[in-house]
Amino acid sequence: MRCYLLTLTMAVALLGKTTAVAQTYDFQNTRLKDDRRVELLLKQLTLDEKVSLLGTRMGVERLGIPNLSCYEGLHGLGLGGPSHHNGMRDEDGKQVPNDLPTTIFPQAYGMGCTWDRELVRRMGDIEAEEVRWYVQRPEARRKGLVVYAPNADLARDPRWGRTEESFGEDPYLTAQLSVAMVRGLQGDHPRYWKTASLMKHFLANSNEDGRDSTSSDFDERLFREYYSYPFYKGITEGGSRAFMASYNAWNGVPMCIHPCLEQIARREWGNNGIICTDGGGLRLLVNAHHAFPTMAEGAAAVIKATTGQFLDQYLPHVKEALEKGLITEADIDKAIRGNLFVALRLGMLDDPATTQNPYAAIGRDTTAVPPYERQEVRQFVREATAKSIVLLKNEKLRMKNEKSATPLLPIDVGSVRKIAVVGPYADRMIYDWYSGTPPYEVTILKAMREAGREYGIEILYAPDNQMGRAEALAAKADLVLVCTGNHPYGTKTEWKFCPVPSDGREANDRRSLLLPDEDDIRRIQAVNPHTVLVLVSSFPYAVNWSNDHLPAILHVTHCSQEQGHGVADVLFGRVNPAGRTTQTWVKDILDLPAMMDYDIRHGRTYMYAKGDVLFPFGHGLSYTRFEYGDAKVVREDRQKVYVSLPVRNVGPCDGDEVVQLYAAYPDSQVEHPRHQLRAFERVTIPRGETRDVVLAIDKDDLSYWDTASHTFVRETGRIRLEIGASSADIRTETDYYPLLKRSRR
């Protein structure tokens, strides 16, 4: 055995007994480079141990390396399996408590609507703190330090059943927020990671129906500029060294064996960590894609593609592949090397007695307050929830006893005495398939009742409009809140259960964009025109009637333990809304191309959408107003261009504005999108004050993929920089003339 400090054992005679001191191995030497340590560990492993490392548990008990497993973590740590909190009952029908609570944020789709990098980073940091806290407790049940998050997939179509898991349709926004979450999950220590961020799902995985065997077909340019961009940034900028290969194929080649895994993700981008299959990926490779006649041949292909983890039953098939000479031990070494690197960065290859890992102490103190019980964490979730809310519409109406019309929101506590809160999600929290169990939950009704007591407002409630009970309450109220939307079906263990056409979930795409309760909303509005639609949903709806007839609409996603407080804070003006849409909300399902058309140039996203839309990408209203001054390029360096403009809050209250910069190429000889998001900042501006907002544009993002030379080329002609409050609300423009031709990418 190899060791660099201690001998194999040291016997000390004491009272007739022998005490053995644990062995220290050469791969534990933290003075060595990471690659060298991984190489030394590989030399220590037996072939059987190497084969065992092709699974999700990455430990080697013989060498003192604890087993590492994984957790879901899209918007909070998921323990105990998918949505363990939902609908779990004993034989007597009583709710079964889950004693593993974790902090639960709005769905990833909602976190995307914050357009707030730092907020998303902090969410990842809180989640990582809870991972370490649970894993390193003396009574820990499971040792998972690899977190399946963020989802860097792009929501190119609102019918996609897993839209709830994505930050949105735009590659730049999704990349920026993915980078932020990776950094939060992994921490900022130069040597150690707090947890390992494993991004999902590489690549172009945005159809659920038939996902086990379909092919996402598009050209090399869309691969580079659109579908792979968030993963590229997550690796090169965020520091993630892990991702999951998706079920689908790209241009006919299943992703878990696609040559781009090694040629691009590993060699070009530097992902020297984990690449894993999706759950059951090996079986589907053979039985759904029919890429290979036997499981052994499929397993060999997966390993040779440098996919080093199977989320599948793989052991007998890998052994058969070895016996038949389909793969060698060297092939396995190459595939699992990345798994060992991730374990190293998590501190698992250190000597526990001498490790300098700053995260190793989290959870050891049994008297410490758990992260999910800390008041500052709970307050942060409330803040994040309010920041995720998008005010889609807010028209002026005249309330009772008012002389002039004013915007319906925020609620005027001086004139409103009764509020009817109605709808299926007024007093019910629904958790999605990858949600954990929150330590508590605040429904919209609960928060509204709290606010009602504070402001002296009576809160009426009806869960639905059966026998006209919601209408009856609406007739008595000064204001009505209709809380409705989709059901994420995290409560159902039955796979593919999704009976409502406009609902969606994993394994089910949506077949409609219509809101099922809109007829009830029509009846309620006929009784009381002061009706607000609180859309609690995981994706956009074509709420055309509501937009035409209701004075106010706001959107919030499911799952946040502080959902009610976040909504109430916005409704009463304690928080000025500044959330922005991250998808184009179309008016009609017929405005969308065919679901399996992955060429977004045919009419997808704000970059290529045809005709009018309901709500554009980047849209969101405020209770105040902002004026944009003239923009100008103030400086540039080798890598960035800096644009500055004054933004003044000329409205009645403090607020946040999301300043968005889009690039267009009016003089280019190359086809480009209409315009592309290339910078944004969410800034707080007090009433009556002006902020000079500086937007930094990466010059590499002003380039295009040249298919002839297979490289990024920077535009040399005039680039128009459009700055505004949404993709359809451009307030000011300036031109930039680049000099460099080639991108560094």
Side-chain angles (χ1 to χ4, degrees):
M1 288 292 182
R2 304 165 180 83
C3 49
Y4 71 94
L5 286 176
L6 302 178
T7 56
L8 179 63
T9 59
M10 180 167 52
V12 178
L14 180 63
L15 300 177
K17 295 182 180 180
T18 299
T19 301
V21 178
Q23 181 173 351
T24 302
Y25 298 96
D26 49 8
F27 64 79
Q28 294 175 326
N29 185 351
T30 57
R31 294 192 299 270
L32 299 176
K33 292 183 177 181
D34 292 347
D35 287 347
R36 178 61 177 157
R37 292 180 67 189
V38 169
E39 190 63 36
L40 290 170
L41 175 55
L42 279 170
K43 291 179 180 178
Q44 293 273 17
L45 298 172
T46 67
L47 179 57
D48 284 344
E49 287 169 339
K50 292 175 180 179
V51 171
S52 73
L53 289 169
L54 289 165
T56 57
R57 294 188 176 274
M58 298 188 294
V60 183
E61 185 178 355
R62 178 178 65 85
L63 301 178
I65 303 173
N67 264 321
L68 284 184
S69 188
C70 51
Y71 293 124
E72 296 288 351
L74 288 175
H75 54 93
L77 177 60
L79 296 174
S83 295
H84 189 272
H85 176 76
N86 293 319
M88 302 296 290
R89 299 184 181 277
D90 61 21
E91 294 179 356
D92 298 323
K94 295 181 179 179
Q95 184 77 36
V96 176
N98 184 347
D99 59 350
L100 300 176
T102 57
T103 301
I104 303 301
F105 290 84
Q107 291 174 301
Y109 192 73
M111 294 302 292
C113 292
T114 68
W115 289 59
D116 192 323
R117 300 174 182 87
E118 175 55 24
L119 185 145
V120 172
R121 186 207 64 79
R122 191 175 173 199
M123 176 184 70
D125 179 66
I126 290 170
E127 188 173 322
E129 184 83 8
E130 294 188 359
V131 171
R132 285 278 181 177
W133 192 88
Y134 270 115
V135 165
Q136 294 170 172
R137 301 286 290 171
E139 71 277 13
R141 307 176 189 175
R142 186 173 165 189
K143 302 290 186 179
L145 287 176
V146 177
V147 179
Y148 289 169
N151 189 328
D153 288 317
L154 291 165
R156 67 181 174 99
D157 192 302
R159 291 170 293 183
W160 179 33
R162 296 178 80 169
T163 295
E164 64 195 24
E165 299 181 26
S166 171
F167 288 131
E169 74 183 21
D170 180 74
Y172 180 81
L173 175 64
T174 300
Q176 291 289 300
L177 299 182
S178 294
V179 166
M181 189 166 188
V182 170
R183 288 175 174 170
L185 288 169
Q186 298 194 166
D188 56 7
H189 194 274
R191 172 177 288 177
Y192 296 101
W193 292 338
K194 203 170 188 179
T195 61
S197 167
L198 188 148
M199 298 182 290
K200 302 196 301 186
H201 310 81
F202 190 83
L203 178 83
N205 177 72
S206 55
N207 64 280
E208 293 304 295
D209 298 336
R211 63 181 181 162
D212 59 357
S213 56
T214 55
S215 179
S216 304
D217 298 337
F218 49 88
D219 60 27
E220 184 183 13
R221 186 175 175 191
L222 283 178
F223 172 88
R224 295 285 187 165
E225 295 182 16
Y226 188 72
Y227 289 106
S228 76
Y229 181 86
F231 293 93
Y232 162 73
K233 284 292 187 179
I235 293 168
T236 60
E237 207 170 285
S240 171
R241 291 295 183 268
F243 65 70
M244 179 183 293
S246 54
Y247 289 124
N248 58 283
W250 170 37
N251 293 346
V253 181
M255 287 311 304
C256 65
I257 61 168
H258 204 289
C260 72
L261 300 180
E262 182 177 13
Q263 294 172 4
I264 298 175
R266 290 203 186 277
R267 294 180 185 176
E268 289 187 31
W269 301 346
N271 180 20
N272 59 337
I274 297 171
I275 298 178
C276 68
T277 71
D278 203 339
L282 171 59
R283 172 176 51 82
L284 295 174
L285 179 67
V286 176
N287 297 331
H289 282 287
H290 304 292
F292 300 96
T294 68
M295 297 289 279
E297 290 170 281
V302 170
I303 290 170
K304 286 185 175 182
T306 71
T307 302
Q309 276 192 0
F310 290 91
L311 273 65
D312 213 333
Q313 296 296 323
Y314 73 93
L315 197 58
H317 312 304
V318 170
K319 289 184 175 180
E320 181 183 349
L322 281 166
E323 291 168 0
K324 292 183 174 179
L326 302 175
I327 52 171
T328 65
E329 185 172 355
D331 293 325
I332 295 176
D333 286 354
K334 187 175 181 180
I336 66 171
R337 186 182 299 270
N339 306 355
L340 302 179
F341 171 78
V342 169
L344 181 150
R345 294 305 299 267
L346 291 168
M348 298 298 102
L349 304 192
D350 289 5
D351 182 342
T354 61
T355 185
Q356 299 298 307
N357 183 357
Y359 307 121
I362 298 172
R364 303 293 186 190
D365 182 358
T366 57
T367 65
V369 176
Y372 53 82
E373 290 185 3
R374 296 171 190 165
Q375 187 56 39
E376 66 272 19
V377 171
R378 297 184 174 193
Q379 182 58 38
F380 177 69
V381 181
R382 182 171 179 166
E383 174 190 342
T385 306
K387 282 190 169 185
S388 76
I389 292 171
V390 183
L391 182 61
L392 295 168
K393 182 182 180 183
N394 190 26
E395 281 190 346
K396 291 183 178 181
L397 279 182
R398 189 173 65 83
M399 299 295 291
K400 294 178 182 178
N401 304 319
E402 287 187 348
K403 294 181 180 180
S404 60
T406 58
L408 188 60
L409 299 177
I411 295 170
D412 184 351
V413 297
S415 62
V416 173
R417 302 270 52 90
K418 288 185 180 181
I419 298 176
V421 181
V422 304
Y425 300 128
D427 195 34
R428 186 184 183 196
M429 297 287 291
I430 303 294
Y431 299 95
D432 60 31
W433 190 249
Y434 291 112
S435 183
T437 300
Y440 66 95
E441 58 184 34
V442 181
T443 66
I444 295 172
L445 179 63
K446 180 178 180 180
M448 290 298 294
R449 283 174 171 165
E450 289 177 8
R453 288 191 292 270
E454 178 182 351
Y455 297 118
I457 298 173
E458 183 181 357
I459 304 298
L460 312 173
Y461 167 64
D464 52 49
N465 196 31
Q466 288 186 5
M467 298 181 290
R469 53 186 172 184
E471 293 175 61
L473 293 186
K476 301 176 184 178
D478 301 310
L479 183 74
V480 185
L481 304 180
V482 182
C483 307
T484 188
N486 75 294
H487 194 306
Y489 296 100
T491 59
K492 295 294 293 188
T493 56
E494 180 186 345
W495 192 239
K496 293 182 73 69
F497 180 84
C498 198
V500 179
S502 59
D503 285 346
R505 58 168 291 180
E506 182 171 352
N508 289 84
D509 287 319
R510 304 168 74 197
R511 289 169 286 131
S512 171
L513 302 183
L514 301 178
L515 183 63
D517 290 339
E518 203 158 39
D519 274 349
D520 275 334
I521 297 171
R522 292 172 61 192
R523 296 191 63 86
I524 292 167
Q525 189 269 347
V527 174
N528 190 333
H530 300 98
T531 296
V532 179
L533 171 57
V534 180
L535 192 58
V536 186
S537 73
S538 309
F539 11 64
Y541 279 91
V543 284
N544 297 295
W545 185 92
S546 293
N547 188 51
D548 288 341
H549 295 87
L550 299 184
I553 304 172
L554 62 82
H555 174 259
V556 65
T557 60
H558 289 282
C559 296
S560 171
Q561 63 193 41
E562 286 282 353
Q563 182 186 83
H565 281 147
V567 170
D569 286 346
V570 167
L571 289 173
F572 284 99
R574 293 188 289 244
V575 173
N576 190 348
R580 298 291 187 267
T581 57
T582 65
Q583 258 185 311
T584 302
W585 290 47
V586 299
K587 288 185 173 182
D588 195 299
I589 198 168
L590 296 180
D591 295 336
L592 298 170
M595 187 64 180
M596 290 308 300
D597 184 353
Y598 271 79
D599 188 339
I600 63 170
R601 304 180 191 96
H602 295 159
R604 293 192 192 281
T605 80
Y606 73 94
M607 294 182 281
Y608 295 102
K610 300 173 182 177
D612 293 335
V613 300
L614 186 62
F615 300 115
F617 173 82
H619 169 75
L621 304 179
S622 172
Y623 295 150
T624 192
R625 302 184 309 280
F626 298 94
E627 287 184 352
Y628 286 53
D630 292 337
K632 58 183 178 180
V633 176
V634 291
R635 64 186 177 92
E636 64 178 296
D637 53 34
R638 289 190 62 186
Q639 193 57 27
K640 292 186 182 292
V641 181
Y642 298 89
V643 177
S644 178
L645 72 154
V647 180
R648 183 171 179 79
N649 184 340
V650 297
C653 57
D654 301 345
D656 287 4
E657 175 73 337
V658 180
V659 182
Q660 305 164 40
L661 183 150
Y662 297 83
Y665 310 88
D667 300 333
S668 178
Q669 301 301 307
V670 178
E671 180 186 0
H672 285 283
R674 184 180 301 115
H675 58 184
Q676 300 166 283
L677 182 70
R678 285 296 174 254
F680 66 88
E681 291 294 336
R682 180 168 177 152
V683 293
T684 300
I685 308 177
R687 178 183 61 178
E689 295 190 14
T690 300
R691 291 286 183 269
D692 288 325
V693 179
V694 178
L695 301 163
I697 312 164
D698 193 319
K699 289 182 178 179
D700 285 345
D701 288 332
L702 301 176
S703 61
Y704 64 92
W705 182 259
D706 180 59
T707 54
S709 62
H710 301 286
T711 187
F712 277 98
V713 175
R714 288 185 185 163
E715 280 286 356
T716 57
R718 176 171 63 105
I719 299 176
R720 188 172 63 238
L721 304 178
E722 306 170 346
I723 301 99
S726 81
S727 61
D729 184 8
I730 302 302
R731 308 284 183 87
T732 184
E733 298 179 358
T734 190
D735 287 336
Y736 168 64
Y737 295 87
L739 298 176
L740 299 178
K741 290 186 178 181
R742 295 210 169 265
S743 167
R744 297 196 308 171
R745 279 199 270 171

